[in-house]
Amino acid sequence: MIPFLDLKSAYAELKPELDAAYARVMESGWFVLGKEVDAFEQEYAAFCGTRHCIGLGNGLEALELVLRGWNIGAGDEVIVPSNTYIATWLAVTAVGATVVPVEPTPAGPNIDPDRIAAAITPRTRAIMPVHLYGEPADMDAIMALADRHGLKVIEDVAQAQGAKVRGRRAGALGHAGAHSFFPTKNIGAFGDGGAVTTDDAALADRLRALRNYGSKVKYVNIERGYNSRLDEMQAAFLRVKLEKLDDWNERRRVLAARYDDRLAGIASLGLPRVPQWAEPVWHLYVVRTKNRAELVKALDAAGIGSLIHYPIPPHLQQAYADLGLPRGSFPLAETLAETVLSLPIGPHMSLDSINAVAAAVRRAS
Ligand SMILES: *Cc1c(COP(=O)(O)O)cnc(C)c1O
């Protein structure tokens, strides 16, 4: 049996450190906005290479609060990938702005800079690239476009903590990066969590108020804010895991390379194609196949977990029926939704397990 995801092994590897973090917070008697969050913010900013990090409640609110922090709202357009998890779109519509979906590059999975240029209008305020599956979007091209048109860029780093473009980390490549610490992410909390990384001091300052009821001084509310705070317990756990992030991403890279090797030459299978300027962190290892249903069935029968990221693109979700974007509006995203399959990967998987999955895929293909 090879599960799609194994989250228990992280605790097994780090039990003494995590248990000590738990005890430290419990004994401190301080649970929201304290020393652990402060320390994690500094450590995570240093890791990403930004001046500021603001710990927040989750990744969706990290995206949303950045838009709020830049006063993006009704009447503004934000360019988003057609091929993404729905959270990217939800952040834009939550502030009342309009999503302008743009298709991925032919090699996929990320937003195509050439198509972004054609989607920019006088109302465009921001571009929200997603580093999907842990593979960086083409940030050099996106930042060049943004500079030319005076647009803000917010990276959705939820799946790509630690990934790099030409040696610089995701989260430090745009004007702001929104991170999720949902348990399944490359650095996951034991509950919900999120953060924004940025060099923009004014944005950082505003986010610190927005996350805390619009308040910097207790009971003095300078604007209508949210309650979206990374808590002390999760911050303490994340500090332990941050020490391991580069190691764990390196283990993922080795496993992905093994998949590349063992799955090469299967005619019906499309493998991930990584641009030479990108250092992905393999949040997911995603293949493409026209025979997906059969492949899933065969893997299932062999006791191997697999998942689809994602089976329905945002524009075809009932949640966005009011946008009136019928099937055929974004054919590249739609084809990906019909053909992608994520194989098991994670820092605690063995090469033997990868070999076994690859062999099962080969048999079924
Ligand atoms: C997980 C995820 C999010 C949302 O993060 P949460 O912490 O669950 O709110 C946003 N965007 C992408 C691409 C994600 O994978």
Side-chain angles (χ1 to χ4, degrees), residues 79-101:
I79 292 175
V80 296
S82 58
N83 184 48
T84 184
Y85 180 56
I86 197 168
T88 319
W89 288 39
L90 288 174
V92 175
T93 52
V95 300
T98 303
V99 284
V100 177

Side-chain angles (χ1 to χ4, degrees), residues 57-63 83-89 130-133 156-160 178-185 191-195 283-284 309-310:
N58 56 65
L60 172 58
E61 289 171 353
L63 290 164
N83 184 48
T84 184
Y85 180 56
I86 197 168
T88 319
W89 288 39
V130 180
H131 308 305
L132 206 62
Y133 310 151
D156 182 338
V157 196
Q159 303 191 0
H179 305 251
S180 164
F181 305 120
F182 186 73
T184 61
K185 312 293 186 185
D192 276 308
H283 176 61
L284 297 169
H309 298 93
Y310 296 89

